[in-house]
Amino acid sequence: MALMAALASSCALAAYGFVGDSNDPVTAARWVKITNTYRCMHGVGKVGWTQAASDDAQKYVDTLSTELINSNSLCLSSPAGPAQENLAKGYSNLEDAVANWYSEGGHCVDQQGCTPPGNQGRETRHYTALVWKGVTQIGCAINSTTSIYICRYRSGDSLGPQTANMPMFFRDSVYPQLAGEAGSFDKCSSDSTGALNPSLPDPASLYPNVPNVGDAMSWVTCPGGAAPGGNGQKVRERHQWIAFVITMVLALCCIGFCCYSCRFIKEKKMGKMLPGTLAEMSEKHHKTDHEDWRYDNYHDSEEARLTQYSGKETRKDFAKGADNSGVPGGGLVSLIAGGH
């Protein structure tokens, strides 16, 4: 009889598509109720259950053994994603795991927004994902062998201000706890149900005064450069690389400017100690070389002129001797004759 009951239970779970002891209908209702309790305390809307996100979360959490390593859940396409993800380990039940995420709210520097990091650099993003205004569905699971808990927070089929922990939208999405009884755990716990499929608003409609930035606000890294959520967004690392390149260019420009300034100052100081700046000295040296070249050329041409002049004088003397003797070349003949 017990065996038949177990088989019937297994068949029922299979018919619903739930994984027993992790995200079956009863466990799923517990996830939804505790989540909505904390969200009620901050005056944000309730969430429903997404089985597609839960099944994908179950597959992933079953691969974890000791370390809590987040997946690329924001890169998942609909209906499993995109979704933000929380992990916890070592708790005896899922309510304690969710309570641990919520306790990070005590680390917030400012309760309106709780923009990370928290006080002394403490973690706050599990808390902000839990109470993020734009979240409308959750899908959670448990690795019962390692006591690792996982919950994914979905805000529609695309990324935008409604996506949990989207940069620049913390103040629009995370509110302080309500004052008085309205924000008490007991009151909200009694008001919250574990309904898996309540009527839910369009996540983007929760931000009427904020444009749906979509692709322009991409900040997610996906394996192989794939598009987050399947909607063609660029990855955050591309923005980081652009910022890095710009920083390096500016740094090189600063270094070049400093080197130029040092050289200018050095030349200026040398210009006070020496006759003229280095540039003037270089030009003066160039002029001196040019003047030496002109002198050498002048000297060579002067010698040539004197030689030519001397030759002319000799010819003149020869001609003068001829005139004195009355015979062409007489002067020379007389000189020879006198030698005899």
Side-chain angles (χ1 to χ4, degrees), residues 73-230:
S73 56
L74 284 169
C75 300
L76 296 173
S77 300
S78 177
Q84 190 57 265
E85 179 179 278
N86 281 358
L87 291 169
K89 181 183 179 182
Y91 296 93
S92 58
N93 56 68
L94 66 89
E95 286 82 7
D96 286 348
V98 178
N100 175 67
W101 295 332
Y102 182 78
S103 69
E104 291 180 0
H107 304 156
C108 297
V109 175
D110 184 356
Q111 290 297 322
Q112 178 64 48
C114 191
T115 304
N119 286 317
Q120 299 179 353
R122 294 178 180 177
E123 183 61 74
T124 58
R125 288 170 294 180
H126 299 98
Y127 160 75
T128 53
L130 176 63
V131 299
W132 194 271
K133 179 179 70 174
V135 172
T136 55
Q137 290 180 308
I138 62 170
C140 312
I142 306 168
N143 183 332
S144 55
T145 302
T146 59
S147 296
I148 295 179
Y149 299 81
I150 183 173
C151 206
R152 290 181 178 169
Y153 302 87
R154 196 167 179 274
S155 308
D157 295 341
S158 61
L159 303 183
Q162 70 274 10
T163 305
N165 295 344
M166 174 66 78
M168 296 178 63
F169 294 101
F170 281 84
R171 294 190 65 82
D172 297 298
S173 306
V174 179
Y175 301 147
Q177 183 177 350
L178 299 176
E181 186 181 6
S184 69
F185 180 87
D186 292 339
K187 175 70 166 59
C188 286
S189 180
S190 63
D191 291 345
S192 299
T193 68
L196 302 183
N197 297 296
S199 177
L200 300 171
D202 175 18
S205 69
L206 300 174
Y207 296 81
N209 299 320
V210 178
N212 190 345
V213 291
D215 295 343
M217 285 301 299
S218 72
W219 55 290
V220 182
T221 303
C222 295

